[in-house]
Amino acid sequence: MMMGVAIPQGLRLLASLAFSAGLTVLFAGSLIRQAQSSARTAEELRRRVFRDRLTDVSTRDYLFERLSRCPRVSGIVLMVDIDRFKRMNDTHGHMAGDQVIRTVANALRVQCRTEDIVCRFGGEEFLIFLAGSDEAHGKDVAERLRASVKDACTDFDGQKLRVTISVGAALKAQEETIDMAIRAADDALYQAKRCGRDRVALSWEPRVPDRTCRLSSEVLCPIRPRAAEHWPSNA
């Protein structure tokens, strides 16, 4: 018959402390894993809200969220629309149309700076905000975007698809809201469409009469204030 071995009280206390410490480590590890999982989930949700799934450029939600934090930032707003996109879809199908949108988005993105916002505004329309830019820079970028898209080619199902874009440019001054600038850029875009497409319309210079606009590469609209401010350092 085996006799029980008495365990000193000090050893029992150490064993109890070790067991409690082990449970604490396991619990802490579980909390860390949960926190990491929650962080990944939050980041994925943020990405889904702020990144367009088709093109991986920003969404309009991101644009408005960013500008709401920096309402006095100035710059140039460019409204970009793919010309005759419905004809592209009707002729080649929506899958081809999606690939063309990706090609255009990439062409726009590579022509912009990291501090600029390139977002898919809806369908085949994009909005670009050139932070801190003035009219001269805005005009230069708009023309580079137009030329870049015209030169780009989409390979789809053995076909090489090409499109052009129309661009409307407007200035957002410090005292203006982004909505005001977007409306001005949208009006300029409408003028570019009316005057033949594949062109840039500027909202800060006198407008060319409609009867002569087809002879010009640009359509010009009423003068607006000059940009002056870049993104705040904490934006």
Side-chain angles (χ1 to χ4, degrees):
M1 179 176 178
M2 296 183 63
M3 300 294 293
V5 178
I7 299 176
Q9 183 175 356
L11 290 178
R12 288 200 301 272
L13 179 60
L14 287 175
S16 176
L17 290 174
F19 180 72
S20 298
L23 290 178
T24 300
V25 169
L26 290 175
F27 181 67
S30 176
L31 289 178
I32 291 172
R33 286 191 294 273
Q34 290 179 26
Q36 292 173 336
S37 176
S38 297
R40 286 193 295 268
T41 301
E43 180 60 29
E44 178 61 24
L45 290 174
R46 179 181 175 85
R47 178 176 177 81
R48 290 184 182 183
V49 171
F50 289 155
R51 306 298 297 181
D52 179 62
R53 293 183 65 183
L54 178 64
T55 63
D56 200 38
V57 298
S58 300
T59 62
R60 60 188 296 164
D61 289 326
Y62 175 79
L63 171 82
F64 287 117
E65 192 274 341
R66 184 78 181 275
L67 269 295
S68 70
R69 291 190 277 121
C70 312
R72 288 185 57 79
V73 69
S74 64
I76 297 294
V77 173
L78 301 177
M79 290 295 294
V80 178
D81 189 75
I82 302 175
D83 296 326
R84 297 186 174 90
F85 186 71
K86 183 178 184 302
R87 181 186 300 177
M88 171 68 66
N89 275 339
D90 292 345
T91 303
H92 301 284
H94 289 277
M95 295 296 290
D98 284 350
Q99 189 59 43
V100 166
I101 288 176
R102 292 190 192 97
T103 299
V104 171
N106 187 62
L108 299 177
R109 177 170 43 202
V110 298
Q111 293 295 329
C112 294
R113 305 166 302 181
T114 56
E115 62 264 36
D116 298 328
I117 298 175
V118 180
C119 79
R120 188 180 178 199
F121 207 65
E124 70 275 17
E125 193 170 47
F126 296 85
L127 187 149
I128 299 171
F129 184 69
L130 307 175
S133 294
D134 60 11
E135 296 95 329
H137 182 252
K139 177 181 177 179
D140 178 65
V141 172
E143 285 291 355
R144 283 195 283 110
L145 294 176
R146 184 194 62 77
S148 178
V149 171
K150 190 171 186 175
D151 291 341
C153 179
T154 300
D155 293 317
F156 181 81
D157 197 21
Q159 303 175 82
K160 294 188 179 299
L161 308 178
R162 295 182 183 275
V163 294
T164 61
I165 57 172
S166 297
V167 184
L171 178 69
K172 181 195 176 298
Q174 291 182 17
E175 66 273 14
E176 292 181 312
T177 66
I178 186 61
D179 289 340
M180 295 168 63
I182 289 174
R183 283 195 295 270
D186 203 41
D187 288 344
L189 173 62
Y190 176 70
Q191 289 297 318
K193 292 286 190 180
R194 283 182 58 186
C195 293
R197 302 179 177 85
D198 186 23
R199 65 190 61 225
V200 173
L202 309 174
S203 71
W204 53 78
E205 297 182 13
R207 179 179 296 178
V208 174
D210 287 348
R211 66 179 180 275
T212 62
C213 67
R214 287 184 180 275
L215 303 177
S216 172
S217 64
E218 298 169 358
V219 182
L220 308 175
C221 306
I223 295 173
R224 291 164 62 81
R226 178 176 298 276
E229 183 180 275
H230 210 306
W231 290 115
S233 59
N234 61 348

